[in-house]
Amino acid sequence: ISFLNPADVESVNILKDASSEAMYGVRAANGVVLITTKKGKGKPQINYSGYAGVQTISNSVKMANATEYATLVNELNGAQTFSNPSSFGQGTDWLNAVTRNAFTTNQYISVGGSTEKSSYNYSLGYFGQNGNIEKNKYSRITARLQNDIQAVPFIKVGYNAILESSKSTDIPSNIIYKAITAAPII
């Protein structure tokens, strides 16, 4: 349910017994999850929440540098594949070359309230996350409009609209494998 901003959720209920699932039919065989979104209550309120942070890779694999790699290949082959392993120096740490510290942010603002005959809640959210791999990123903008009006004592009219736009830039799934297995002498 990526279309729904988590800050718009008021409650989550899980129905798992047969009697509560009866009205949902066969589709409820594995249970039902009911998500209730927020509605305006009381005096008009403006709420804001947000955060920003940096993601880092912890427990990164320690890679052999080019000199260590050439020495290990010589020992593995039992021959002098590389005549002077120290001539390669540090080489390239490919895992370090494709990874980075990544910025992430989440911003959310809402306006809500109610009167005797109506309630409203409008919200706007932005979530942006760069991946730890270069050029990998995700962003999402969500907007939610909710309004209920008691037109006459026995008729209540309302709407609940959710708008969402997301963009994902993905990288090949085997890039970490390729970075770990690439020779540092290249």
Side-chain angles (χ1 to χ4, degrees):
I1 56 173
S2 65
F3 62 87
L4 184 62
N5 191 320
D8 284 327
V9 174
E10 186 170 312
S11 67
V12 176
N13 295 313
I14 299 174
L15 308 177
K16 51 187 174 190
D17 62 324
S19 62
S20 62
E21 296 171 359
M23 69 183 278
Y24 297 100
V26 173
R27 296 186 315 172
N30 293 324
V32 176
V33 177
L34 296 176
I35 299 174
T36 306
T37 55
K38 293 179 181 175
K39 295 187 177 208
K41 296 176 187 166
K43 294 180 180 180
Q45 292 183 352
I46 298 174
N47 295 312
Y48 169 79
S49 66
Y51 66 83
V54 176
Q55 300 175 146
T56 60
I57 296 176
S58 60
N59 300 327
S60 182
V61 177
K62 169 119 174 55
M63 304 300 293
N65 65 30
T67 301
E68 294 167 338
Y69 175 81
T71 303
L72 290 170
V73 168
N74 283 347
E75 289 176 10
L76 179 67
N77 293 340
Q80 287 290 72
T81 306
F82 301 106
S83 59
N84 185 8
S86 61
S87 66
F88 293 108
Q90 290 298 311
T92 304
D93 182 350
W94 290 107
L95 185 60
N96 190 43
V98 299
T99 59
R100 64 179 173 179
N101 291 334
F103 180 74
T104 183
T105 184
N106 189 20
Q107 309 298 321
Y108 175 81
I109 188 165
S110 69
V111 177
S114 66
T115 63
E116 289 181 21
K117 295 192 176 204
S118 71
S119 70
Y120 60 93
N121 192 343
Y122 309 114
S123 67
L124 182 65
Y126 171 77
F127 177 73
Q129 182 176 34
N130 290 332
N132 288 110
I133 305 295
E134 290 285 341
K135 300 186 181 180
N136 188 15
K137 60 178 113 178
Y138 175 77
S139 64
R140 178 186 70 214
I141 297 173
T142 57
R144 189 171 150 274
L145 312 168
Q146 178 273 321
N147 202 344
D148 289 328
I149 300 168
Q150 190 75 43
V152 291
F154 57 89
I155 296 178
K156 189 175 192 178
V157 179
Y159 63 87
N160 191 359
I162 298 174
L163 309 165
E164 182 261 348
S165 175
S166 63
K167 183 178 181 183
S168 179
T169 306
D170 297 322
I171 45 104
S173 60
N174 62 350
I175 189 112
I176 297 292
Y177 173 76
K178 287 183 177 184
I180 289 174
T181 58
I185 60 173
I186 298 171

